[in-house]
Structures are given as C-alpha cells and as structure tokens.
Amino acid sequence: MSAALGLKTKPVTTEPADDDSDISALINRLTAEVNQIAVDKTKSIQQITNQMKMLALNALIESSRAGAQGAGFAVVAQEVRGVGQQVETIARELETQLTKRTGDLVASIERMSQRSRGERMMDLSLNAVELIDRNLYERTCDVRWWATDSAVVDCAASPAQAAVTYASQRLGVILGAYTVYLDLWLCDLDGNVIANGRADRFRVVGQNVAHTRWFREAKTLRSGDDYVAGDIENQPLLGNAQVATYCASVRAGGQVNGAPIGVLAIHFDWEPQARAIVQGVRVGDNDKARVLLVDSHFRVIAASDGQGILSERISLSLGGHRSGFYQDRSGTMVAFHATPGYETYRGLGWYGVIVCSP
C-alpha cells in the first residue's frame, strides 16, 4: 500500500540533453565558419581576377599603341582577360553553391536539434503525468482498504457516539502515518459527515456533502472493489485547500459485496505533492521551460512556476494524438503526453505539458 510520503515511486527521469545541445551548437558554429571562409576566399579570388582583368585591359591599350609590334601581346592580353572572367564565374558559382549547401546544413541541423529537444520534452511530459498516475493509484488502494476497517464499518452501521469517537480516533491514527492527506471523512448514505480524522482542525461533522459529484458517484458504486477518483478542486470545508478526493463505499460487514452503509472520502493534499513532481522534472535552465499538469479540460492543475493553478486554461493543439510536440506562431515549443494510467487506475484524461519559451 501507500508510503507515508506518497512519492515512493522513483522517478524515471530523462537527463537534459546538454551534450546534444553542445554538439549541435558546435556543428552550427563550424558550419557558419566554413560558410564565412568560403565567402571571404571567393571575394579574394574576385579581387585577384579584377586585377587580372585590369592588367589585361592595360596590356590591350599598350599593345594598340605599339601597332603591329604589339599584336602578339594583344592576343595574350585577351587570353588573360578571358581566363580572369572564367575564374570570376567559377568563384561566384562556388560561393553560391557553398552558401546554399551550408545554409541547407544549418537548417537541417536546426530541425534535428528541435526534433531532439521536442522528443525529450515529450518524454519528460510523460514522466510527470506517469509519476502522478502512480501516486494516485496508491490513493485508490488506500480508500478501498480503509473502507473495510472495522471501526469505520461499525460506525457507518450504527453511528452512536462511542462508535463515532472510536472511528475518528482510528482515522486520526491513519492520518498520522499517511501525511499526504488533509482529512478522512466517513459519511452516511444521506451525505452527512459522521466522523473525520482531524476533528480538532476541521469541524466538518454534521456537514452535508450530498451535492458533491464525488459523493453522488460513490453512492452508485457496485462493490467494494470500485472507487471514485475526483478532479482537483478547492474544498471549502478544508480551508479551501486544493484536494483530490477519492471515495469508496463502506459495506456491511466490510464485505466486498455487502450492502452499502456509508461512504468513505479521503482528501489528498494536492498542491504540495503535485508541486514536488512538476518542479522535479529535469529540464535544463536553457530550456526556459514551464512544466504543467492539466486536466481533461486543459485547466492547469499544477505548474512548476506556481501560476494559474485551477484558474488558467491552456490551448493544446493535439492533432488527434495522445502525445507530441509542436511550435506555435511565436516560436514557443509545446510538448504533451496524455495520462497512460497505472494498474487499475485508468486516469482522468490528464496531460503532462511542457511549454518552452523561444
């Protein structure tokens, strides 16, 4: 079952591709240097051919002044002039071709570098959402297990004061060991909270939660093997904290197929746990990256910069794919990967997203 810290799964991180970036930068620099050398040398050749043509022109002028005696020299001057023009043409063609080839090489290297970077960011997006999936899978195990605790079952069956006190104590013991939760609530089938683990901190006993989506869905669960996984929300009864609520039905005798007699709701302390995951993704400083978790409606539910949580919605161009990367019109790279789920936790359609500024 779960570890008290809730993050026992070791991250399968992808190291920043610093070496790849350095190699790409080196190739780009060397290519640019080759291109500049080609341009400089062809200009030098053009200067020399210009001098040759000027000398040839002067020779023609002098040969014409010499009359018949300079006729042979005139032929040589014409040949020199022709050779100079040919060399100039070759130099220009060389410059054009080298510039085009090196330009194509630079563009190809840039595309390869961008693709490598995009694939790395896509892998890191998967890493982020996969880590939270594994974490939340453990939450589904917790709630189904604790719903069979004898103190919880007895209190749901007969909520006398002694039973309520004992159930609250028992839930408090669980909270002492599992610090990833804000509170655990035992509710009757009408949605009334009849016991909780932190009664001294959260005075929720007597509150009615029948209107909440997670409670309504929990009432319809078919067996003790089933559970409800809620999206991230601010819970007013817990100081408006960000929580992910997981529910299981409490059943008669603690049996999987016993008659439902109550609902156990456990409130996962979302913000610090999610922050640890998105801030732990191994992006490089040069990536200028913002790591996000977003829900199925593209609402930001975790952000490495701590901004926009539960209030910001991002625009994702999925193109019908579960994973990928692209650049928007501003040059910003966006990488994404849909939740793969983990074991019996199918996920809620969330995405890991990394946004890299240009």
Side-chain angles (χ1 to χ4, degrees):
M1 288 299 175
S2 312
L5 294 178
L7 291 172
K8 70 175 184 179
T9 306
K10 183 178 180 180
V12 184
T13 58
T14 301
E15 295 292 338
D18 292 335
D19 291 342
D20 291 345
S21 299
D22 290 345
I23 291 171
S24 296
L26 176 62
I27 294 175
N28 270 319
R29 180 170 61 80
L30 292 176
T31 304
E33 289 177 0
V34 169
N35 187 65
Q36 189 60 47
I37 290 170
V39 171
D40 292 343
K41 295 304 181 183
T42 51
K43 285 183 178 178
S44 297
I45 293 172
Q46 288 170 356
Q47 290 175 353
I48 293 170
T49 54
N50 285 336
Q51 291 174 350
M52 290 175 62
K53 286 190 291 184
M54 184 62 66
L55 290 172
L57 178 61
N58 290 334
L60 285 172
I61 293 172
E62 292 300 324
S63 67
S64 66
R65 288 177 180 175
Q69 291 82 3
F73 188 60
V75 173
V76 175
Q78 286 284 13
E79 288 296 323
V80 170
R81 188 177 186 182
V83 169
Q85 289 176 335
Q86 291 177 6
V87 171
E88 182 181 25
T89 299
I90 292 171
R92 285 178 177 171
E93 290 176 350
L94 177 64
E95 179 183 8
T96 300
Q97 292 178 7
L98 279 175
T99 301
K100 182 179 184 304
R101 295 295 189 275
T102 54
D104 291 344
L105 180 58
V106 169
S108 177
I109 292 170
E110 179 64 22
R111 287 193 298 270
M112 290 171 60
S113 177
Q114 288 296 320
R115 182 172 183 83
S116 175
R117 185 187 186 206
E119 289 176 345
R120 181 169 66 90
M121 292 301 165
M122 183 176 67
D123 289 343
L124 290 173
S125 298
L126 170 61
N127 187 199
V129 74
E130 192 172 40
L131 278 174
I132 201 65
D133 277 351
R134 293 182 181 186
N135 195 307
L136 298 182
Y137 162 71
E138 295 177 353
R139 312 289 68 88
T140 69
C141 296
D142 290 345
V143 71
R144 287 177 287 177
W145 174 29
W146 297 335
T148 64
D149 187 281
S150 60
V152 171
V153 173
D154 292 345
C155 184
S158 179
Q161 187 57 50
V164 169
T165 300
Y166 182 56
S168 295
Q169 290 175 349
R170 176 59 183 158
L171 295 176
V173 169
I174 293 173
L175 286 171
Y178 291 78
T179 57
V180 297
Y181 295 104
L182 275 177
D183 206 3
L184 311 179
W185 297 352
L186 175 59
C187 309
D188 64 21
L189 293 179
D190 294 322
N192 298 307
V193 180
I194 57 178
N196 71 310
R198 290 199 170 116
D200 57 334
R201 181 177 172 186
F202 303 114
R203 300 185 180 280
V204 296
V205 172
Q207 296 287 340
N208 187 277
V209 294
H211 63 284
T212 62
R213 182 185 64 82
W214 47 263
F215 180 82
R216 293 197 305 269
E217 291 183 2
K219 282 191 65 175
T220 66
L221 293 175
R222 292 179 294 180
S223 78
D225 288 332
D226 299 320
Y227 62 88
V228 171
D231 268 319
I232 311 306
E233 63 177 1
N234 292 114
Q235 175 50 254
L237 297 178
L238 296 174
N240 220 37
Q242 299 170 17
V243 298
T245 300
Y246 289 77
C247 300
S249 55
V250 180
R251 295 181 173 263
Q255 298 299 311
V256 170
N257 295 316
I261 56 176
V263 168
L264 180 66
I266 64 175
H267 301 288
F268 181 63
D269 191 5
W270 172 258
E271 193 278 332
Q273 313 302 326
R275 173 166 33 89
I277 286 177
V278 293
Q279 291 185 349
V281 173
R282 299 290 296 279
V283 293
D285 293 337
N286 294 332
D287 290 315
K288 299 178 181 177
R290 185 185 185 209
V291 183
L292 307 171
L293 293 173
V294 303
D295 65 16
S296 60
H297 302 292
F298 303 152
R299 180 185 60 154
V300 174
I301 54 178
S304 57
D305 60 0
Q307 303 299 309
I309 301 174
L310 302 188
S311 61
E312 178 186 356
R313 292 183 187 274
I314 66 170
S315 176
L316 274 185
S317 299
L318 301 179
H321 302 292
R322 290 181 55 80
S323 62
F325 61 90
Y326 60 90
Q327 280 189 318
D328 64 18
R329 292 182 178 178
S330 71
T332 298
M333 174 179 284
V334 180
F336 62 91
H337 204 296
T339 170
Y342 185 73
E343 298 289 343
T344 58
Y345 178 70
R346 296 180 298 277
L348 298 175
W350 293 357
Y351 286 84
V353 179
I354 298 181
V355 180
C356 298
S357 300

